[in-house]
Structures are given as structure tokens and as C-alpha cells.
């Protein structure tokens, strides 16, 4: 069982290894009939962090310009604790592995109210040619942008 983080540097200490972090207020309408945030909302939060990351490295604009870009191939989420309204969450995004045409992104969701990680998610994205409907090798300049964002070679 995960304990509450009571360090004075919360939430930065939990998110320091994530180059992209977004912050969102939990909305009343995100709760389900059980009185906590619905499980699908966690995936939307991760999606928002993922898109922010991809925008920052220039991958997202390729869809409009060249019809090439990321497509989600798989996503998993481990729900650690429920989130309730009101709360503020922080979602970290980082790329942990790059293959020939795919890469893996990891996320954590941190609750300010609970002072802990409330969810962990992984997603696999494929660099994709939308016009031709097939995967493509990830271009070298995007690999470099990812490594620069991560501050290390992957």
C-alpha cells in the first residue's frame, strides 16, 4: 500500500524525472455514480499529457503537414487510488523506449489532495503514415528531439 507523501517538495519530488507535466483541476462532472472520478478520465488526462509532449517535440504538426505522426497502438492503466472532487492532479509524461517505428510513453497521475501517485499508465505509439495506412520508421530528427527532451539517449 502506497503511503501519503509528506515531503515539502511535493509534488515535484514525484514528477522530477518526467520532462512534461501538466496540471488539471478535477471537474465535478468527471465523477461517476460511485462518487469518484471515472476510470476513463484518467486515460484522458494521460492523453492530454501525451499530446503536450508530442507537440513540444514537433511530432504533432507532422499530421497536418505530411499526414504522418503518432497513432495509439496500446494503453494500460494501473489505478492506485480513487480521485474525488475537489482535487488537482499533475500528470507526468516521458518516453522510456524507442523502437524502429514505435515508442513507449509512461505516465503517472499525482493527486494534490491525496499527496500520492493515484495512477500509472503506459502507452505504445506507432509512427504512422495516415495517407498510406502503414507504420513508418521514426525519423532521426524526431529521435533526437525525444532524447533532448528526455535529457538522455534512449
Amino acid at each position: 500500500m502506497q503511503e501519503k507523501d509528506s515531503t515539502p517538495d511535493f509534488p515535484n519530488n514525484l514528477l522530477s524525472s518526467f520532462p512534461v507535466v501538466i496540471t488539471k483541476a478535477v471537474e465535478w462532472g468527471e465523477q461517476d455514480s460511485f462518487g469518484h472520478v471515472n476510470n476513463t478520465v484518467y486515460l484522458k488526462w494521460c492523453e492530454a499529457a501525451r499530446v503536450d509532449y508530442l507537440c513540444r517535440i514537433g511530432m504533432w504538426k507532422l499530421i497536418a503537414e505530411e499526414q504522418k505522426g503518432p497513432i495509439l497502438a496500446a494503453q494500460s492503466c494501473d489505478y492506485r487510488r480513487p480521485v474525488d472532487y475537489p482535487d488537482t492532479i499533475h500528470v507526468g509524461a516521458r518516453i522510456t523506449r524507442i523502437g524502429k517505428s514505435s515508442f513507449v510513453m509512461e505516465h503517472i497521475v499525482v493527486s494534490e489532495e491525496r499527496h500520492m501517485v493515484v495512477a500509472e499508465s503506459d502507452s505504445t505509439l506507432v509512427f504512422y503514415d495516415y495517407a498510406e495506412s502503414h507504420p513508418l520508421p521514426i525519423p532521426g530528427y524526431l529521435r533526437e528531439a525525444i532524447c533532448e527532451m528526455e535529457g538522455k539517449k534512449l
Side-chain angles (χ1 to χ4, degrees), residues 2-76:
Q2 184 183 16
E3 292 185 25
K4 189 172 182 176
D5 186 320
S6 59
T7 60
D9 196 29
F10 173 83
N12 297 333
N13 57 325
L14 296 174
L15 295 158
S16 63
S17 63
F18 291 82
V20 172
V21 177
I22 64 166
T23 301
K24 295 186 140 311
V26 174
E27 297 180 20
W28 172 259
E30 293 174 327
Q31 296 181 106
D32 58 21
S33 61
F34 298 108
H36 56 76
V37 172
N38 185 276
N39 61 301
T40 61
V41 175
Y42 292 74
L43 299 177
K44 289 180 182 183
W45 292 336
C46 292
E47 177 184 55
R50 182 171 57 245
V51 169
D52 189 14
Y53 188 110
L54 297 173
C55 286
R56 290 186 194 194
I57 63 168
M59 192 178 290
W60 203 257
K61 71 178 185 174
L62 290 174
I63 294 173
E65 294 175 0
E66 300 179 25
Q67 294 185 327
K68 297 174 184 169
I71 191 167
L72 185 64
Q75 186 171 14
S76 66

Side-chain angles (χ1 to χ4, degrees), residues 123-145:
S123 54
T124 301
L125 293 102
V126 174
F127 192 69
Y128 197 74
D129 185 326
Y130 285 91
E132 300 293 326
S133 299
H134 64 81
L136 294 170
I138 299 169
Y141 69 92
L142 286 175
R143 289 175 182 277
E144 290 173 19

